[in-house]
Amino acid sequence: MTDQPAPGNPEGDEPIKQRKNGLYPTVSDELAENMRSGWADTELRDLRPIPQAQETARRRAELSARFPGERLVIPAGNLRTRSNDTEYSFRASTEYAYLTGDQTQDGVLVLEPAGDGHEATLHLLPRSNRENGEFWLDGMGELWVGRRHSLAEAERLYGMPCRDVRELAAALAGATGPVRVVRGHDAGVEAALTDKVTAERDEELRIFISEQRLVKDAFEIGELQKAVDSTVRGFEDVVKVLDKAEATSERYIEGTFFLRARVEGNDIGYGSICAAGPHATTLHWVRNDGPVRSGELLLLDAGVETHTLYTADVTRTLPVNGRYTELQRKIYDAVYEAQEAGIAAVKPGAAFRDFHDAAQRVLAERLVEWGLLEGPVERVVELGLQRRWTLHGTGHMLGMDVHDCAVARTEAYVDGVLEPGMVLTVEPGLYFQADDLTVPEEYRGIGVRIEDDILVTEDGNRNLSAALPRTSAAVEAWMADLKGGGLKS
Ligand code: GLY
Ligand code: MN
Ligand code: MN
């Protein structure tokens, strides 16, 4: 198989005579002949199925049962241009990775109606054609971009028949019968289906997969724990280099965390928020180009994404010099107290909104107590007046997407009930903008968020990120320990 063109390869065996924009002139027949042979057989014949093969098969069976008799098309997506002929790094669509375990660019999962259910087929780019020179003369040839799995190897790994994806568009265009596609990932696949699908029916497919992912199986929980554990190490890395960040910028923190994510995982699951000083009050501060100053806070919101595409989402707000000021501590402790109340409300059978309400109430109480809002607290909460400084919801589902299950129906998610196996963040915060004239000057420019990743268990919850300290005293002790006991004044 290794040295053979894929069966029915649409590229054909017509020799490629010149690499596009190449420095070298056309390829002589002698060189072409030379490049065709002399290559070892590298086929991997003893590959074992991926560890989550049983889970992906079960997920496909659930999908099949929901859409009987319909062809279902789930693309991985394509590379996106960054500039000219360079691309952003590829990240397979969550739907495709969830249902296959594969992450190959341009891959497409098709569930074809068969009997009472469906037959799943994975459509992938096969190994490069060596006969026609594709492997070394084409930009996507393996000699340039690296070895791919042969279709036979992919079958062993993913437990499904695999076919050449270059034949798929024509097959889809010619097929009859009801069909749905997950939109937004592969314009070529969508174009082949354009007169066969409707936006509404396609959205039903996307929603179903989003809701499938609300409750995590044991494999997924294990992966999320790995993501969190790696993230904890990334936070430790950052604390150890705060001196270097002070000498440079927030970029040093971003780069430090990114190193951990790339070495231990696939990537970061979202742009790291490395927000020092007043930047902490900007909720999605990802420019990360500001100064890091002793005496100020650093709000670090970052998560490692595992090789299987599960991400952590953790925030700690740290005193850059290792010691909170009195006011920073007061605000931090209020956020901690709110988070404690929120986490306590995470349990099976509770409404999803409960933990948000619990945390918001604590923050409203403190804001009244500090004289920033006029009581009673009931009125503040009813009118949502605390939101000038609490700004965002107290948490969200977490999984392969940082804001996971985002298209689940309101009744299944925001207005739904917590179940064992759900994983969500609890992340209250208080943010006093630098230009907020309604608070005393000393509050201005202080932002605090504490965010943990919480698994709903049969009898309550488990904090997956409990290895990172949360109380102000524990944060200070942890920082002192990591910095070798040397606190700066
Ligand atoms: N990192 C984005 C969030 O916490 O939701
Ligand atoms: Mn976050
Ligand atoms: Mn979050």
Side-chain angles (χ1 to χ4, degrees):
M1 173 122 192
T2 307
D3 288 339
Q4 299 301 314
N9 181 350
E11 296 292 310
D13 287 338
E14 192 61 35
I16 300 171
K17 297 301 284 184
Q18 187 175 12
R19 191 176 148 72
K20 195 173 161 237
N21 296 333
L23 175 65
Y24 291 108
T26 53
V27 177
S28 68
D29 290 345
E30 288 75 9
L31 176 60
E33 183 56 32
N34 177 287
M35 290 297 282
R36 257 180 220 123
S37 59
W39 309 104
D41 176 359
T42 61
E43 179 76 6
L44 301 167
R45 295 183 174 80
D46 55 358
L47 283 178
R48 313 286 308 159
I50 55 170
Q52 71 273 42
Q54 280 188 338
E55 283 82 5
T56 56
R58 176 181 48 71
R59 297 167 193 162
R60 293 193 298 272
E62 289 169 5
L63 196 58
S64 167
R66 166 64 182 80
F67 298 102
E70 302 189 41
R71 183 177 290 110
L72 306 174
V73 182
I74 299 103
N78 321 120
L79 285 177
R80 302 220 165 131
T81 301
R82 183 174 185 275
S83 80
N84 186 28
D85 59 351
T86 63
E87 289 95 14
Y88 290 103
S89 61
F90 178 73
R91 200 278 196 183
S93 77
T94 290
E95 294 93 341
Y96 176 86
Y98 179 72
L99 292 165
T100 66
D102 178 43
Q103 298 178 33
T104 311
Q105 70 200 42
D106 305 321
V108 184
L109 170 68
V110 178
L111 267 62
E112 196 77 34
D116 290 342
H118 288 78
E119 186 181 337
T121 304
L122 208 45
H123 298 257
L124 301 169
L125 194 58
R127 299 216 51 207
S128 292
N129 187 331
R130 290 191 189 268
E131 244 344 90
N132 68 1
E134 178 199 3
F135 86 102
W136 70 290
L137 292 168
D138 185 276
M140 290 309 291
E142 288 177 292
L143 191 138
W144 291 87
V145 301
R147 189 191 187 281
R148 290 186 283 270
H149 288 302
S150 71
L151 296 181
E153 289 170 354
E155 285 187 8
R156 285 178 212 120
L157 284 171
Y158 304 115
M160 279 177 275
C162 295
R163 298 179 62 168
D164 189 334
V165 70
R166 290 170 297 186
E167 299 163 6
L168 180 64
L172 288 176
T176 56
V179 55
R180 301 184 197 237
V181 61
V182 176
R183 296 189 181 200
H185 303 312
D186 192 322
V189 168
E190 288 176 37
L193 292 168
T194 188
D195 55 351
K196 303 177 197 300
V197 293
T198 67
E200 193 183 4
R201 284 164 40 80
D202 289 350
E203 189 62 5
E204 285 171 358
L205 173 61
R206 206 161 73 101
I207 289 170
F208 182 81
I209 300 169
S210 198
E211 291 182 5
Q212 258 188 306
R213 299 191 294 103
L214 279 166
V215 174
K216 274 64 183 174
D217 57 40
F219 174 82
E220 295 183 287
I221 292 166
E223 292 301 296
L224 280 164
Q225 186 66 67
K226 279 189 212 164
V228 169
D229 292 347
S230 186
T231 297
V232 169
R233 290 188 282 276
F235 274 62
E236 290 169 353
D237 296 340
V238 166
V239 170
K240 288 178 189 162
V241 300
L242 277 178
D243 289 353
K244 294 197 172 96
E246 273 190 70
T248 53
S249 78
E250 295 162 338
R251 289 277 160 97
Y252 207 96
I253 293 162
E254 179 184 332
T256 299
F257 189 83
F258 186 62
L259 178 64
R260 179 65 66 171
R262 286 293 281 171
V263 168
E264 293 193 356
N266 177 57
D267 207 329
I268 46 175
Y270 55 94
S272 300
I273 298 167
C274 306
H279 290 157
T281 66
T282 300
L283 295 179
H284 285 170
W285 177 260
V286 291
R287 278 182 241 158
N288 300 338
D289 57 358
V292 177
R293 297 190 190 96
S294 178
E296 295 187 331
L297 295 174
L298 167 70
L299 186 155
L300 176 59
D301 181 345
V304 172
E305 179 186 69
T306 61
H307 294 290
T308 52
L309 307 185
Y310 288 82
T311 188
D313 180 13
V314 174
T315 305
R316 288 295 182 269
T317 307
L318 312 172
V320 171
N321 64 14
R323 181 82 72 193
Y324 295 100
T325 67
E326 202 178 320
L327 179 61
Q328 289 166 353
R329 189 185 309 275
K330 180 176 94 165
I331 297 169
Y332 184 96
D333 290 348
V335 173
Y336 171 75
E337 201 191 328
Q339 200 205 21
E340 280 285 276
I343 293 173
V346 174
K347 51 190 164 199
F352 176 78
R353 288 181 190 279
D354 285 354
F355 76 93
H356 169 75
D357 293 344
Q360 291 290 306
R361 182 172 178 92
V362 171
L363 295 174
E365 284 170 1
R366 292 298 151 267
L367 290 164
V368 170
E369 189 181 299
W370 299 339
L372 301 185
L373 287 171
E374 197 181 321
V377 171
E378 280 64 30
R379 174 183 160 274
V380 169
V381 171
E382 194 181 318
L383 299 178
L385 300 179
Q386 79 283 359
R387 291 176 56 191
R388 182 179 177 98
W389 301 294
T390 66
L391 296 180
H392 55 77
T394 306
H396 51 83
M397 295 294 175
L398 182 70
M400 299 182 82
D401 295 334
V402 61
H403 296 156
D404 211 33
C405 312
V407 297
R409 290 163 305 155
T410 306
E411 59 265 40
Y413 181 174
V414 178
D415 288 342
V417 167
L418 297 181
E419 290 178 46
M422 289 179 168
V423 178
L424 48 118
T425 67
V426 178
E427 51 173 309
L430 279 175
Y431 312 90
F432 300 102
Q433 305 298 318
D435 57 353
D436 188 342
L437 301 180
T438 70
V439 296
E441 199 171 344
E442 62 268 27
Y443 283 69
R444 295 177 201 162
I446 295 181
V448 173
R449 177 163 65 253
I450 312 172
E451 176 173 26
D452 283 82
D453 301 341
I454 311 293
L455 166 69
V456 184
T457 59
E458 293 293 336
D459 55 0
N461 69 62
R462 190 168 89 229
N463 184 350
L464 301 179
S465 41
L468 276 181
R470 288 193 298 126
T471 66
S472 52
V475 167
E476 288 177 342
W478 170 74
M479 290 182 73
D481 199 34
L482 286 171
K483 287 160 156 267
L487 282 184
K488 287 172 50 180
S489 57

